[in-house]
Amino acid sequence: MRDEALVGLSSDGDPWAFGELARRYAPAMKAVASRLGPSLADVDDIVQESLLQAWQRLDQLDDPAAVRSWLLRLTARKAIDHARRHKSHDDVNALTSVSAPTPSPDSAAVVSAGSQALARALADLPESQRTVWWLREGADMSYEDIAHTLGISVASVRGRLARARHTIMTQLEEWR
């Protein structure tokens, strides 16, 4: 069933339809929350709070076809608020690395060192740049969605993202 139909049914109070939306988009919501939230233990709570808020505010969704980006924006806001309350970014080091199915010890060491270097570069970014970077690269949100989520202009999103990318590339120069 298409998103638009599920949103319509959910707006009419159908819990099954909303459950389908939740099952469809919860993995992406968890990905956003895990990148922006202070700890992995809080991810499920952030997603659950976001889904509850979405259920309560479904009538505020202007375009039913955009339900995915709307849910991701709600989740990002919740995760950012949660991170600000707790002021901890220890989970930046919990990056998942992509490697060969059975890497050699040498290649595993290189991938691990590269992941650690990226984690350090991200940790060194100002919070505003790190947040924009995660929303774009981790959650694959559009510039417009990021701007709406953070309450800033699209130009600010572009600027923060450009500065973040430049800083990361500079710090990871040896990995090119």
Side-chain angles (χ1 to χ4, degrees):
M1 190 175 280
R2 295 180 54 155
D3 286 350
E4 296 89 344
L6 290 172
V7 169
L9 291 170
S10 298
S11 295
D12 291 337
D14 186 341
W16 173 86
F18 190 76
E20 285 299 307
L21 288 171
R23 277 185 282 287
R24 190 174 288 178
Y25 296 115
M29 294 169 72
K30 284 184 178 185
V32 168
S34 69
R35 296 299 185 209
L36 298 174
S39 72
L40 293 176
D42 297 324
V43 169
D44 288 333
D45 290 340
I46 291 168
V47 171
Q48 185 175 5
E49 289 174 18
S50 300
L51 287 169
L52 180 61
Q53 183 178 23
W55 176 254
Q56 294 168 342
R57 297 183 180 176
L58 202 53
D59 59 330
Q60 296 176 3
L61 179 60
D62 295 328
D63 180 9
V67 68
R68 178 187 184 273
S69 62
W70 183 67
L71 289 170
L72 294 180
R73 280 195 311 268
L74 289 174
T75 305
R77 284 187 193 130
K78 290 276 184 204
I80 290 166
D81 290 345
H82 189 83
R84 285 180 181 153
R85 283 193 306 270
H86 292 89
K87 287 290 185 190
S88 171
H89 296 286
D90 296 337
D91 285 339
V92 170
N93 294 322
L95 293 174
T96 304
S97 63
V98 177
S99 60
T102 55
S104 69
D106 289 343
S107 64
V110 169
V111 168
S112 177
S115 293
Q116 290 173 3
L118 177 60
R120 282 191 303 274
L122 289 169
D124 290 344
L125 289 175
E127 181 180 345
S128 61
Q129 291 178 22
R130 181 175 45 247
T131 300
V132 168
W133 190 89
W134 276 123
L135 290 174
R136 180 69 187 137
E137 304 300 335
D140 196 31
M141 291 176 71
S142 70
Y143 290 7
E144 292 78 15
D145 286 342
I146 295 169
H148 185 71
T149 298
L150 300 177
I152 59 177
S153 69
V154 173
S156 293
V157 170
R158 290 183 193 282
R160 289 178 188 182
L161 187 57
R163 286 189 297 278
R165 287 176 174 162
H166 176 73
T167 301
I168 290 169
M169 292 307 294
T170 301
Q171 290 187 11
L172 297 180
E173 187 66 34
E174 67 186 66
W175 293 99
R176 283 189 183 195

